[in-house]
């Protein structure tokens, strides 16, 4: 069992440092190149290589005391002394103890945090690969992979129960002690009851008397904290599903890979509503019957509840584990323990779930694999999908990627590499894809948020009792606040970006650094009372919908309103139960959700993502429009989609209208090949930032010069330095350098050595983003 061990863990201080790379030398099999052991022999004495949860640049050797020989293993969390401080570390390797190997005395390991390892040798290999490929230090990887809540070793949740002592012989006089007698009678009928339930009917003083008289005694039972366990959160699905011929064919293909027990990647390209989830469920059933475990990754928290509902309904008695940042510390800690202990289980989670320990892992599902949410935007900047693929390789498991709009890279790999393409070309029950109307907003009033056609269609659907989804990927009320007299725009004092007006708080907020200030009545520059709120956010749309359709029940889902735990689950459940007529939201509702009564979807600003300074703008726009449109007509009633745009002739709008992925892929690939963009080359985005703009500029130029000298004989293209699109962020001025390379693995070690030798001014901070998705 996963129990408290020999010592208590201590929280680790946040890592501080100016560089993203640690000067840490290692290979994927372990540190220092010495012989490693993955199991213990009772007759052999060992020392341990320990990676500290602190910004230490290498693994440290420690002696294993006799009392802990056979207890400390690879993957164990241990308490050690570093300098004069007590720290927690992860044992990444064991070495045979040889008195001649060390000319100095090793410090001993003080204790273990738990009595069994919290991770295993395969996962440690994964940590090494992530650190090597994504050019980051191992400390940052294990810090992300083994969260603080696991290292803290918090206590289990215990529930107090009261149990009556049989044949006690005590008699309570009901006339003299009526309350005690009533409680005693109650306990006779409920000989084992939760303490809190007893205290709802009787006072604490009565309880204390009964305990003193030895009529009852108090006992404790451990209560597991499982995500979404409360009965009021999730509702059961009552469905009898028969797979279509296409689904059956896909299941058979993936099963063959599972039976071969060799690493394979399958890409399931299925149109929206084609039943990809049913394919996943059938494959999960096969793996569970074979005694294996499954990791099921999702890009959005909003999708988790729906998937967990379906799995728990289909697999009666299976405790589907949940892992994401929206859970409590206790729920996450218990999920880790249950995953570690279960011989066969299913974990549904966000990208960080890719590091969870699982026994006999046979299948990894990456749903909506195209989503940028799988890319971590903070150190370490890994891509959850790609780490999942590499983990499947380490386990000889199958990785199944699924999407209605696959990423260009993944689809490219089915044609030019060894990914296996599986397709679902039809919706369930041969339901038609929604009819898409493209509205040219140039012919609407400039002040209109809703086109005349969208308003008309909303009226028709509401009269029939059908439901509507409205999509706008901008939160807040207004995107900019400006002065009509002097054209002054209110900018964040810490970032080079306009503040967004949030009407519910009457505040101007920066969505990058969370700076807030009270909304201005007068212009801060000229003093004129002429402030104008420009641009449209979800709060303003919600207000306008309420004015247009006062009888409609409207709910909004975005990151501003999802502050309460499980709030999005309650809203989505209410929407499914038809207690909400119109659901308005950002990208949180753009994919994966299945509501049969939704017959109309409105995309209020289809052009927003096309205006980004990013070669992936076309791809993101196509994916977004097709995914949002796919929420309509998933039931028996045909659906419609209204796409509002100012550029109706754009080919991406045309491809999206027809949900024509093939034509889009062919067109996009031609552009990518012409400019040698991914998937033809990898991009490393190096960001250099500092508080002194001139110093950053000078250092960036010198950095590129030295980088050019490093790769003078290599087929590497270096672009920059250039001012980043977001020039200033959190008071730091930013420059970008892009490296285009055929293979990251071939140059990663050269860049690491280069960075280790580089003399970096104390004010300058470097970040390396491998296979970058965000160039801001």
């Amino acid at each position: 069992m996963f129990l408290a061990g020999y010592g208590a863990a201590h929280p680790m201080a946040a890592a501080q440092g100016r560089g993203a790379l640690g000067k840490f030398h290692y290979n994927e099999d372990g540190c220092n190149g010495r012989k490693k052991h993955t199991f213990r022999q009772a007759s052999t004495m060992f020392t341990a290589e320990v990676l500290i949860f602190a910004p230490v640049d290498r693994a440290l050797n420690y002696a294993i005391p006799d009392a802990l020989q056979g207890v400390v293993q690879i993957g164990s969390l241990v308490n050690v002394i570093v300098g004069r401080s007590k720290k927690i570390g992860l044992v990444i390797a064991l070495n045979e103890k040889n008195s001649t190997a060390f000319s100095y005395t090793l410090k001993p390991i003080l204790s273990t945090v738990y009595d069994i390892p919290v991770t295993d040798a395969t996962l440690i290999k994964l940590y090494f690969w992530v650190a090597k490929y994504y050019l980051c230090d191992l400390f940052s990887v294990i810090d992300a992979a083994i969260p603080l809540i696991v290292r803290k070793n918090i206590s289990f949740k215990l529930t107090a129960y009261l149990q009556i002592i049989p044949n006690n012989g005590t008699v309570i006089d009901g006339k003299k002690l009526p309350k005690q007698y009533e409680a005693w009678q109650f306990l006779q009928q409920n000989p084992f009851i939760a303490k809190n339930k007893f205290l709802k009917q009787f006072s604490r003083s009565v309880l204390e008397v009964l305990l003193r008289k030895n009529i009852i005694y108090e006992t404790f039972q451990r209560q597991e904290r499982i995500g979404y366990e409360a009965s009021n959160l999730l509702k059961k699905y009552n469905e009898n599903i028969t797979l279509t011929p296409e689904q059956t064919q896909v299941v058979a293909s993936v099963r063959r890979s599972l039976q071969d027990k060799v690493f394979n990647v399958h890409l399931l390209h299925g149109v929206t509503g084609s039943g990809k989830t049913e394919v996943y469920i059938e494959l999960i059933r096969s793996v569970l019957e074979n005694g294996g475990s499954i990791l099921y990754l999702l890009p959005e928290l909003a999708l988790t509840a729906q998937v967990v509902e379906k799995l728990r309904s289909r697999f009666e008695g299976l405790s589907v584990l949940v892992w994401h940042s929206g859970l409590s510390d206790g729920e996450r800690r218990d999920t880790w323990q249950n995953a570690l202990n279960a011989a066969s289980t299913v974990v549904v989670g966000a990208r960080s779930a890719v590091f969870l320990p699982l026994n006999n892992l046979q299948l990894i599902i990456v749903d909506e694999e195209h989503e940028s949410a799988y890319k971590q935007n903070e150190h370490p900047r890994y891509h959850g999908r790609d780490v999942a693929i590499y983990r499947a390789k380490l386990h000889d498991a199958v990785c199944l990627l699924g999407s209605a709009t696959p990423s260009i890279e993944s689809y490219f790999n089915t044609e030019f590499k060894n990914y296996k393409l599986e397709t679902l070309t039809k919706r369930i029950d041969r339901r038609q894809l929604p009819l898409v109307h493209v509205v040219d907003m140039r012919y609407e009033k400039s002040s209109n948020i809703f086109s005349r056609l969208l308003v008309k269609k909303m009226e028709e659907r509401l009269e029939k009792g059908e439901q509507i989804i409205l999509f706008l990927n901008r939160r807040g009320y207004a995107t900019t606040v400006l002065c009509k007299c002097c054209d002054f725009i209110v900018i964040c004092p810490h970032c080079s970006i306009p503040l967004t007006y949030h009407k519910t708080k009457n505040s101007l907020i920066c969505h990058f650094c969370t700076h807030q200030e009270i909304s201005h009545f007068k212009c801060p520059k000229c003093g004129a009372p002429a402030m104008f709120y420009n641009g449209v956010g979800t709060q303003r749309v919600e207000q306008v919908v309420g004015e247009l359709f006062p009888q409609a029940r409207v709910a909004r889902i975005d990151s501003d309103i999802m502050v309460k735990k499980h709030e999005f689950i309650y809203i989505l459940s209410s929407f499914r139960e038809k207690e909400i007529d119109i659901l308005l939201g950002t990208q949180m509702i753009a994919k994966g959700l299945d509501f049969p009564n939704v017959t109309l979807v409105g995309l209020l600003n289809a052009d927003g993502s096309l205006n980004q300074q990013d070669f992936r703008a076309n791809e993101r726009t196509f994916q977004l429009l097709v995914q949002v449109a796919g929420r309509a007509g998933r039931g028996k009633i045909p659906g419609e989609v209204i796409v509002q745009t100012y550029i109706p002739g754009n080919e991406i709008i045309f491809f999206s209208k027809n949900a024509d992925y093939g034509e889009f892929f062919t067109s996009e690939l031609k552009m990518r090949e012409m400019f040698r963009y991914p998937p033809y080359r990898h991009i490393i985005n190096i960001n250099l930032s500092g508080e002194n703009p001139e110093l950053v500029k000078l250092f960036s130029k010198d950095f590129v010069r030295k980088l050019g000298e490093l790769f003078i004989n290599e087929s590497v293209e270096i672009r920059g330095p250039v001012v980043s699109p977001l020039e200033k962020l959190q008071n730091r001025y930013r420059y970008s350098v892009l490296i285009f390379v055929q293979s990251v693995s071939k140059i990663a070690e050269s860049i690491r050595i280069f960075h280790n030798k580089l003399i970096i001014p104390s004010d300058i901070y470097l970040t390396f983003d491998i296979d970058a998705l965000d160039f801001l």
Side-chain angles (χ1 to χ4, degrees):
M1 293 183 64
F2 191 68
L3 302 174
Y6 295 84
H10 291 263
M12 179 206 65
Q16 300 292 328
R18 56 189 171 84
L21 300 181
K23 299 185 178 182
F24 189 78
H25 303 280
Y26 56 84
N27 55 57
E28 289 186 29
D29 296 320
C31 300
N32 303 331
R34 289 194 291 275
K35 185 179 179 181
K36 305 300 178 293
H37 298 263
T38 57
F39 59 92
R40 304 301 313 271
Q41 296 180 7
S43 61
T44 307
M45 304 295 283
F46 290 88
T47 60
E49 292 184 32
V50 180
L51 194 62
I52 309 300
F53 285 91
V56 177
D57 62 1
R58 60 187 177 87
L60 303 178
N61 287 296
Y62 284 88
I64 303 177
D66 291 344
L68 295 181
Q69 291 284 340
V71 177
V72 173
Q73 302 176 47
I74 291 176
S76 292
L77 289 180
V78 294
N79 293 301
V80 295
I81 296 295
V82 180
R84 297 183 179 179
S85 302
K86 187 177 179 181
K87 301 286 186 183
I88 292 179
L90 174 69
V91 177
I92 61 171
L94 298 177
N95 302 299
E96 290 185 20
K97 187 175 182 180
N98 185 337
S99 58
T100 62
F102 302 101
S103 58
Y104 53 89
T105 302
L106 294 178
K107 291 180 180 179
I109 290 175
L110 302 178
S111 60
T112 56
V113 178
Y114 300 101
D115 58 4
I116 67 170
V118 299
T119 186
D120 57 43
T122 303
L123 278 172
I124 289 174
K125 282 186 179 181
L126 184 69
Y127 306 157
F128 276 100
W129 178 82
V130 170
K132 181 178 180 180
Y133 185 84
Y134 290 100
L135 289 171
C136 53
D137 55 283
L138 264 172
F139 156 67
S140 68
V141 177
I142 64 169
D143 187 42
I146 305 175
L148 183 59
I149 194 59
V150 174
R151 309 195 300 264
K152 284 171 67 176
N153 189 9
I154 64 171
S155 60
F156 297 116
K157 183 178 181 180
L158 299 176
T159 301
Y161 288 88
L162 303 175
Q163 189 162 353
I164 196 165
I165 300 175
N167 304 320
N168 175 263
T170 303
V171 178
I172 298 177
D173 190 332
K175 293 182 179 180
K176 291 183 179 180
L177 304 168
K179 285 294 183 183
Q180 292 181 34
Y181 181 79
E182 183 184 351
W184 182 55
Q185 290 287 82
F186 175 78
L187 288 167
Q188 293 285 346
Q189 299 173 5
N190 301 276
F192 187 77
I193 187 172
K195 181 179 178 180
N196 60 349
K197 289 185 178 180
F198 178 86
L199 290 174
K200 287 180 180 179
Q201 299 190 42
F202 303 97
S203 67
R204 189 169 292 276
S205 60
V206 169
L207 171 62
E208 291 173 354
V209 170
L210 296 177
L211 288 169
R212 281 200 306 270
K213 290 182 177 181
N214 290 325
I215 294 173
I216 58 173
Y217 67 92
E218 188 174 4
T219 186
F220 297 87
Q221 287 191 0
R222 182 187 158 204
Q223 180 179 336
E224 288 190 0
R225 294 156 289 194
I226 300 175
Y228 303 166
E229 187 179 37
S231 59
N232 63 329
L233 286 180
L234 306 181
K235 295 179 174 59
K236 286 193 174 183
Y237 278 74
N238 295 312
E239 298 175 303
N240 294 316
I241 301 297
T242 301
L243 296 184
T244 66
E246 281 190 331
Q247 289 174 318
T248 302
Q249 186 175 348
V250 173
V251 168
S253 175
V254 181
R255 271 182 182 159
R256 284 192 291 271
S257 293
L258 289 168
Q259 291 165 357
D260 291 341
K261 295 183 179 180
V262 294
F263 165 65
N264 264 315
V265 181
H266 293 251
L267 174 63
L268 175 54
H269 177 206
V271 299
T272 56
S274 59
K276 292 184 288 294
T277 303
E278 294 303 327
V279 170
Y280 303 153
I281 290 174
E282 194 59 31
L283 291 169
I284 288 170
R285 188 186 311 279
S286 298
V287 174
L288 291 174
E289 289 173 352
N290 196 38
S293 293
I294 303 98
L295 179 60
Y296 192 142
L297 298 181
L298 295 164
E300 292 284 354
L301 300 190
L303 298 177
T304 311
Q306 177 178 273
V307 171
V308 173
E309 282 178 330
K310 287 193 174 184
L311 291 178
R312 287 182 181 166
S313 296
R314 300 294 181 82
F315 302 102
E316 200 70 37
L318 177 66
S319 179
V320 178
L321 305 179
V322 185
W323 180 271
H324 58 65
S325 59
L327 301 178
S328 68
D329 285 349
E331 287 170 337
R332 297 178 80 212
R333 195 267 190 195
D334 285 2
T335 293
W336 188 283
Q337 171 206 319
N338 291 332
L340 190 67
N341 290 335
S344 174
T345 191
V346 181
V347 174
V348 178
R351 62 172 176 261
S352 59
V354 75
F355 295 114
L356 251 65
L358 285 166
N359 294 305
N360 195 15
L361 179 62
Q362 296 182 12
L363 175 64
I364 301 179
I365 298 167
V366 185
D367 198 18
E368 309 294 352
E369 65 85 27
H370 66 280
E371 275 295 320
S372 60
Y374 282 118
K375 188 70 159 71
Q376 171 96 342
N377 288 323
E378 299 173 351
H379 200 59
R381 291 174 170 80
Y382 66 91
H383 197 301
R385 177 198 63 208
D386 297 341
V387 175
I389 292 171
Y390 194 80
R391 183 173 183 185
K393 181 179 180 181
L394 292 175
H395 288 272
D396 287 326
V398 173
C399 188
L400 176 58
L401 313 178
S403 177
T405 54
S407 64
I408 294 292
E409 290 85 349
S410 293
Y411 203 84
F412 179 86
N413 287 340
T414 67
E415 294 195 357
F416 299 95
K417 293 190 179 180
N418 56 356
Y419 286 18
K420 296 184 178 180
L421 178 63
E422 317 289 350
T423 57
L424 297 174
T425 61
K426 301 179 181 65
R427 279 189 158 189
I428 295 296
D429 296 332
R430 297 189 177 273
R431 291 168 187 158
Q432 296 298 310
L433 288 170
L435 178 63
V436 179
H437 307 275
V438 176
V439 178
D440 189 344
M441 293 300 287
R442 294 173 298 178
Y443 297 98
E444 302 287 331
K445 290 184 179 179
S446 59
S447 60
N448 281 4
I449 297 174
F450 295 94
S451 63
R452 289 164 292 178
L453 179 61
L454 179 54
V455 172
K456 178 185 175 183
K457 293 293 183 181
M458 290 176 70
E459 290 173 345
E460 293 174 357
R461 298 295 179 173
L462 290 173
E463 287 176 2
K464 296 176 181 178
E466 297 164 12
Q467 291 172 293
I468 300 165
I469 287 179
L470 299 176
F471 173 81
L472 178 65
N473 206 22
R474 292 179 181 173
R475 57 191 176 104
Y477 186 86
T479 54
T480 55
V481 179
L482 56 96
C483 176
K484 287 185 176 181
C485 294
C486 67
D487 296 328
F488 172 79
I489 298 177
V490 184
I491 302 291
C492 174
H494 311 294
C495 309
S496 55
I497 191 169
L499 294 177
T500 300
Y501 175 58
H502 288 247
K503 190 173 184 179
T504 53
K505 298 180 180 179
N506 192 32
S507 298
L508 302 176
I509 300 176
C510 176
H511 290 165
F512 285 88
C513 73
T514 68
H515 166 81
Q516 292 190 39
E517 57 187 65
I518 299 299
S519 180
H520 302 284
F521 172 69
K522 293 183 179 180
C523 176
K525 183 177 181 181
C526 70
M531 301 307 290
F532 175 69
Y533 297 96
N534 187 43
V536 179
T538 50
Q539 289 182 11
R540 187 175 175 192
V541 173
E542 184 180 29
Q543 175 184 304
V544 173
V545 169
E547 294 169 354
L548 289 173
F549 307 101
Q551 303 303 318
R553 298 163 296 179
V554 184
R556 171 168 56 92
I557 287 185
D558 56 30
S559 55
D560 293 327
I561 208 167
M562 296 295 107
V563 290
K564 293 182 180 179
K565 185 179 179 181
H566 301 319
E567 182 69 18
F568 65 92
I569 297 180
Y570 294 126
I571 292 178
L572 293 178
S573 295
S574 298
F575 191 59
R576 179 190 296 157
E577 296 300 316
K578 303 178 184 179
E579 297 168 3
I580 296 170
D581 301 309
I582 302 173
L583 182 64
L584 160 68
T586 57
Q587 62 182 6
M588 296 177 74
I589 64 168
K591 79 286 292 183
L593 297 177
D594 187 4
F595 300 109
N597 197 47
V598 172
T599 57
L600 178 65
V601 168
L603 289 89
L604 303 186
N605 180 15
D607 313 333
S609 53
L610 276 175
N611 298 325
Q612 298 174 354
Q613 298 179 22
D614 189 338
F615 72 90
R616 287 192 176 91
N618 286 350
E619 181 181 8
R620 286 178 179 153
T621 302
F622 176 83
Q623 290 167 341
L624 190 60
L625 298 186
V626 172
Q627 290 284 347
V628 177
R631 300 315 104 207
R634 299 173 76 92
K636 296 180 180 179
I637 306 172
E640 288 184 281
V641 180
I642 309 298
V643 178
Q644 297 185 169
T645 175
Y646 289 91
I647 47 173
N650 186 286
E651 69 171 3
I652 299 302
I653 302 294
F654 176 78
F655 293 148
S656 304
K657 177 182 178 180
N658 298 312
D660 194 339
Y661 183 86
E663 287 297 319
F664 161 73
F665 177 78
T666 301
S667 173
E668 186 68 10
L669 204 60
K670 287 180 181 177
M671 184 275 289
R672 301 281 183 96
E673 186 175 21
M674 183 185 305
F675 294 101
R676 305 299 294 167
Y677 286 144
Y680 293 98
R681 289 191 296 183
H682 297 266
I683 297 180
I684 302 174
N685 182 18
I686 305 174
N687 186 270
L688 304 94
S689 66
E691 296 181 359
N692 185 327
E694 289 302 317
L695 179 61
V696 179
K697 182 179 180 180
L698 290 173
F699 179 79
S700 298
K701 290 182 177 180
D702 187 55
F703 175 81
V704 169
R705 179 183 61 78
K706 292 177 180 178
L707 200 61
E709 293 172 356
L710 174 67
F711 294 118
I712 192 167
N713 296 320
E714 302 281 346
S715 57
V716 174
E717 181 185 356
I718 301 172
R719 297 182 187 177
V722 295
V723 176
S724 298
L726 186 56
E727 180 180 3
K728 183 182 176 185
L729 180 64
Q730 298 179 358
N731 293 319
R732 301 184 70 84
Y733 294 87
R734 308 163 74 241
Y735 277 76
S736 294
V737 177
L738 300 181
I739 298 178
F740 291 77
V741 62
Q742 204 69 34
S743 170
V744 172
S745 301
K746 289 182 179 179
I747 70 164
E749 189 59 25
S750 297
I751 294 179
R752 183 181 296 278
I753 295 171
F754 168 76
H755 177 267
N756 287 346
K757 293 179 179 179
L758 191 65
I759 299 174
I760 307 173
S762 59
D763 179 54
I764 303 295
Y765 190 89
L766 268 69
T767 62
F768 292 78
D769 190 359
I770 313 300
D771 295 327
L773 296 182
D774 184 357
F775 296 94
L776 287 180

